[in-house]
């Protein structure tokens, strides 16, 4: 699939997929499903990326770089309730105290996002999920301030060596969660005395309360 030439074309493609099962989209692309029928993360997202003509895919490139758009698929129930938090990007722990919201990768990722819900019951095969109505969102200045506050809280805590106090409970919309295949993976961070410590990698995620409200009514998302 060629990349879309405009945001209008991207939205048109996404809306055309609404009501289709992800497996049907995959077959239309002439591709085979992965061996794991339950793993929604990755497989379903990759299918939608291909169907919509995304050309990014690396950790430092937006999914639609020419349009400045990031794609986020969200598994939801039939009632529209997100089943999991939405991964945004990794959090660099070694230089957290030097990071600023204005130039951060997480802010760039959230500058313009095409959210696509994937509707289905909990733990059904990802191929059976149905593509829902897409939502294109960019934060208002007030919403950007909320995300900034969440970000500043996180990097401030890491910057003073309190990484182990950082839990998923912090943050109104943006939270930090472990990002690793298993608990044995380690990365370096700074301790309270300036010493290097080994800890699990972390990533930024959007809370379900945020994505649920946005998918229900973007105009009603609280500032």
């Amino acid at each position: 699939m060629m990349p879309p030439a405009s945001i209008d074309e991207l939205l048109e493609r996404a809306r055309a997929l609404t009501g289709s099962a992800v497996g049907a989209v995959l077959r239309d692309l002439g591709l085979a499903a992965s061996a794991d029928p339950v793993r929604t993360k990755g497989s379903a997202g990759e299918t939608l990326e291909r169907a919509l003509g995304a050309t990014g895919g690396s950790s430092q490139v937006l999914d639609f770089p020419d349009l400045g758009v990031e794609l986020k698929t969200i598994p939801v129930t039939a009632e529209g309730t997100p089943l999991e938090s939405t991964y945004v990007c990794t959090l660099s722990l070694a230089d957290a105290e030097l990071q600023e919201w204005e130039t951060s990768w997480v802010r760039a990722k959230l500058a313009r996002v095409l959210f696509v819900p994937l509707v289905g019951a909990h733990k059904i095969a990802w191929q059976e999920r149905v593509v829902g109505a897409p939502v294109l969102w960019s934060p208002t200045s007030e919403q950007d301030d909320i995300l900034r506050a969440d970000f500043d809280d996180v990097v401030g805590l890491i910057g003073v060596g309190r990484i182990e106090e950082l839990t998923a409970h912090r943050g109104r919309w943006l939270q930090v969660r472990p990002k690793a295949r298993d608990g044995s993976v380690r990365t370096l961070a700074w301790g309270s005395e300036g010493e290097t410590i080994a800890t699990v990698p972390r990533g930024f995620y959007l809370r379900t309360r945020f994505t649920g409200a946005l998918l229900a009514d973007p105009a009603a998302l609280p500032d």
Side-chain angles (χ1 to χ4, degrees):
M1 175 70 71
M2 292 291 292
S6 66
I7 290 177
D8 286 342
E9 183 179 347
L10 173 60
L11 279 171
E12 183 179 350
R13 290 184 185 182
R15 289 167 180 156
L17 296 177
T18 302
S20 298
V22 178
V25 175
L26 192 70
R27 289 191 295 274
D28 288 344
L29 293 170
L31 301 173
S34 72
D36 187 343
V38 176
R39 187 175 68 91
T40 300
K41 287 185 178 180
S43 300
E46 290 166 7
T47 299
L48 269 292
E49 286 176 7
R50 287 175 175 267
L52 296 173
T55 58
S58 77
S59 60
Q60 292 297 318
V61 179
L62 296 174
D63 293 316
F64 300 91
D66 293 338
L67 303 180
V69 175
E70 182 74 359
L71 173 67
K72 293 298 179 186
T73 54
I74 305 177
V76 301
T77 65
E79 295 73 32
T81 302
L83 293 171
E84 58 195 32
S85 54
T86 301
Y87 174 68
V88 181
C89 65
T90 57
L91 167 59
S92 177
L93 299 178
D95 62 350
E97 75 280 4
L98 302 177
Q99 298 177 41
E100 297 182 353
W101 174 246
E102 288 79 5
T103 56
S104 67
W105 184 229
V106 63
R107 189 190 190 202
K109 283 270 194 177
L110 296 176
R112 183 180 291 155
V113 186
L114 180 65
F115 290 100
V116 179
L118 302 177
V119 185
H122 186 55
K123 291 187 177 180
I124 71 166
W126 63 263
Q127 299 97 322
E128 297 177 17
R129 291 196 170 275
V130 174
V131 181
V135 173
L136 183 67
W137 172 81
S138 292
T140 64
S141 59
E142 292 82 5
Q143 292 163 356
D144 187 80
D145 286 343
I146 294 172
L147 294 167
R148 178 204 301 269
D150 289 344
F151 174 88
D152 287 346
D153 181 46
V154 166
V155 298
L157 198 66
I158 297 173
V160 296
R162 296 165 60 190
I163 177 65
E164 298 304 338
E165 295 179 34
L166 182 58
T167 72
H169 296 293
R170 302 183 78 99
R172 179 176 172 186
W173 289 350
L174 197 62
Q175 63 178 173
V176 170
R177 303 175 65 91
K179 179 62 177 176
R181 292 182 178 178
D182 58 64
S184 67
V185 178
R186 288 291 185 268
T187 189
L188 293 180
W190 299 106
S192 58
E193 301 299 324
E195 76 281 14
T196 56
I197 61 174
T199 186
V200 294
R202 265 77 161 189
F204 283 109
Y205 290 76
L206 292 171
R207 289 188 178 279
T208 56
R209 72 168 69 110
F210 169 82
T211 53
L214 187 145
L215 292 175
D217 186 356
L221 188 67
D223 289 331

